[in-house]
Amino acid sequence: MNIVLLGPPGAGKGTQAKVLSKEYKIPHISTGDMLREAVKAGTEVGKLAKSYMDKGELVPDKVVVDITGERISQSDAKSGFLLDGFPRTDEQANELDLALDKTGKKIDIVLCFKTSPEVSIARLSGRRVCPKCGSNFHIENMPPKEKDLCDYCNGRLIQRNDDKYETVKRRLVVYENQTKSLIDYYQKKHILKEVSGNLEVNALFCEIKKLFVRERLA
Ligand code: AP5
């Protein structure tokens, strides 16, 4: 099953991606995570990406198309993958279709997460991440057992640079201007299904599983 998760920043895509990836045994491919790894490693791609990410702007299409194309061609993605945060522009969606066409694959379903800007802002300003193992928490909705410490590796939790209020506001504008048109793009292909990002994490996971059964994907 090849899945795309689409939706504004903070809608809960990454959180659902992690549980869905475990449930259906398909890799969770997050362009945001791959870019943050490149930033951490100090590569040329990382240096370039950082200058856009810190401002809440999209990294140039060519960069993300290349890293995603390379990732989905790996052997663990042969029987399916879950794309989180890609595509984000019309150009990226076209490039993805072209790349999949060449290998006889297609996107089976696009889950479009619906939330309000208020929910996104509240979630992102309260998000804390573990720089060591990448786990995600929220100071109110999903607090760690011990304040500021990761439940899984005991790393000290931090706030992402781009989760500062002004940058979050910019990311929401960028979503409206550059990404939201993809709803139309996938609606025309009849593969877009809306889900409520406002639901509690487990409730949403159950909704998505039921949806996959209804769509005969699982
Ligand atoms: P990226 O990392 O993809 O960020 P994003 O899409 O803005 O998504 P987020 O990770 O902020 O939100 P999410 O929907 O995954 O929410 P999450 O589950 O974490 O991209 C970062 C940057 O990289 C971009 O701005 C851009 O610069 C660059 N980039 C990435 N991909 C690119 C591309 N394709 N093209 C160009 N540039 C690209 O949840 C958020 C918080 O809410 C967490 O604290 C979580 O614990 C909590 N939460 C989650 N679900 C729920 C729930 N159901 N109820 C209550 N709380 C919840």
Side-chain angles (χ1 to χ4, degrees):
M1 174 163 44
N2 299 327
I3 312 169
V4 166
L5 303 188
L6 178 67
K13 305 179 298 294
T15 303
Q16 290 300 320
K18 286 192 177 71
V19 280
L20 289 168
S21 158
K22 230 184 205 168
E23 176 79 8
Y24 295 103
K25 299 180 179 52
I26 50 176
H28 167 201
I29 301 177
S30 155
T31 38
D33 285 350
M34 290 192 286
L35 291 169
R36 278 183 289 278
E37 272 164 31
V39 171
K40 208 167 150 188
T43 63
E44 284 311 307
V45 164
K47 282 179 202 153
L48 175 77
K50 187 173 172 13
S51 64
Y52 291 90
M53 294 167 86
D54 283 350
K55 289 186 285 200
E57 302 295 336
L58 295 183
V59 173
D61 287 334
K62 167 106 180 66
V63 174
V64 280
V65 164
D66 285 353
I67 58 171
T68 311
E70 209 275 311
R71 180 65 188 85
I72 59 179
S73 69
Q74 289 174 14
S75 59
D76 65 336
K78 274 210 172 84
S79 54
F81 53 77
L82 199 159
L83 290 174
D84 163 17
F86 181 92
R88 251 165 150 113
T89 63
D90 294 350
E91 171 74 17
Q92 291 178 22
N94 283 323
E95 290 292 338
L96 175 63
D97 283 347
L98 287 175
L100 293 175
D101 267 356
K102 279 187 199 152
T103 53
K105 292 184 187 167
K106 63 177 176 51
I107 299 298
D108 297 303
I109 191 162
V110 177
L111 297 177
C112 178
F113 285 58
K114 303 296 269 192
T115 46
S116 63
E118 292 73 28
V119 169
S120 286
I121 290 169
R123 288 201 182 152
L124 295 183
S125 51
R127 171 163 60 187
R128 296 294 180 272
V129 294
C130 175
K132 266 166 85 184
C133 74
S135 297
N136 239 325
F137 299 87
H138 188 279
I139 50 174
E140 280 160 15
N141 306 337
M142 287 193 254
K145 289 185 190 121
E146 241 187 281
K147 192 171 180 281
D148 295 335
L149 288 183
C150 176
D151 289 355
Y152 309 102
C153 73
N154 225 28
R156 184 148 294 275
L157 303 180
I158 56 160
Q159 183 173 41
R160 252 167 62 174
N161 257 348
D162 60 349
D163 279 350
K164 306 272 157 63
Y165 182 68
E166 286 309 317
T167 320
V168 168
K169 280 206 320 200
R170 180 64 200 153
R171 285 162 64 197
L172 287 167
V173 171
V174 167
Y175 174 78
E176 287 293 318
N177 295 343
Q178 291 176 262
T179 306
K180 212 174 170 186
S181 61
L182 293 180
I183 295 178
D184 230 35
Y185 180 88
Y186 288 118
Q187 238 157 10
K188 285 185 183 139
K189 291 178 180 280
H190 309 290
I191 52 172
L192 186 117
K193 297 287 165 189
E194 284 187 359
V195 294
S196 170
N198 292 341
L199 289 174
E200 179 271 323
V201 175
N202 278 324
L204 178 52
F205 177 52
C206 290
E207 282 305 305
I208 295 174
K209 284 204 296 184
K210 281 189 214 153
L211 174 64
F212 287 171
V213 172
R214 277 202 305 278
E215 296 296 313
R216 298 174 194 280
L217 294 169

